[in-house]
Amino acid sequence: MKNNIIDYCLKKKGATKDYPFGLAPLVIKIAGKMFALIFEDKGDYFHLNLKCDPVIAENLREQHETVRPGYHMNKKNWNTITIDGSLPESDIFEMIDHSYELVLKNLPKRLRESISEMN
């Protein structure tokens, strides 16, 4: 599932991967702004940090045991999702879409337009 999530993130227009903090976590950015962080864990699961609207973030935390306030991030605007197979991949992809859109909409208009013109 981890490779599917990484591939899904990198298919977003303008998405790039980076390792600004060393070998971990893998950070996926748009125009230099983070929208996903993937933390390796030992065992059968890993963690994914995603930006989230504060109201939606609270709802997701109430609905899912595997969604918690962002690890090493602003707890109001970021969630950490434990990827252990309990959430459907489609739900995770929706959360990735939301994170990407939040970051994209806060970019300057010129950058948003140039990203939207990418293939």
Side-chain angles (χ1 to χ4, degrees), residues 6-81:
I6 294 169
D7 290 343
Y8 187 82
C9 288
L10 291 174
K11 287 180 183 172
K12 299 285 186 192
K13 288 184 180 185
T16 59
K17 66 180 179 177
D18 193 10
Y19 294 91
F21 309 113
L23 297 175
L26 166 61
V27 178
I28 303 177
K29 299 179 178 183
I30 178 172
K33 303 290 183 184
M34 300 184 293
F35 74 90
L37 293 88
I38 299 171
F39 294 87
E40 291 290 332
D41 274 339
K42 295 183 181 189
D44 296 331
Y45 63 92
F46 62 97
H47 293 100
L48 173 66
N49 280 12
L50 296 170
K51 192 161 186 130
C52 193
D53 174 270
V55 174
I56 295 170
E58 275 299 317
N59 286 335
L60 289 170
R61 293 171 196 164
E62 289 173 8
Q63 293 173 24
H64 306 286
E65 261 183 54
T66 57
V67 180
R68 297 182 318 272
Y71 175 72
H72 283 300
M73 307 297 279
N74 179 310
K75 309 288 187 228
K76 181 179 175 186
N77 296 307
W78 287 83
N79 278 336
T80 296
I81 301 104

Side-chain angles (χ1 to χ4, degrees), residues 83-98:
I83 308 298
D84 62 3
S86 63
L87 279 177
E89 198 172 63
S90 60
D91 288 355
I92 296 165
F93 288 169
E94 285 179 24
M95 291 181 215
I96 291 168
D97 292 343
H98 177 67

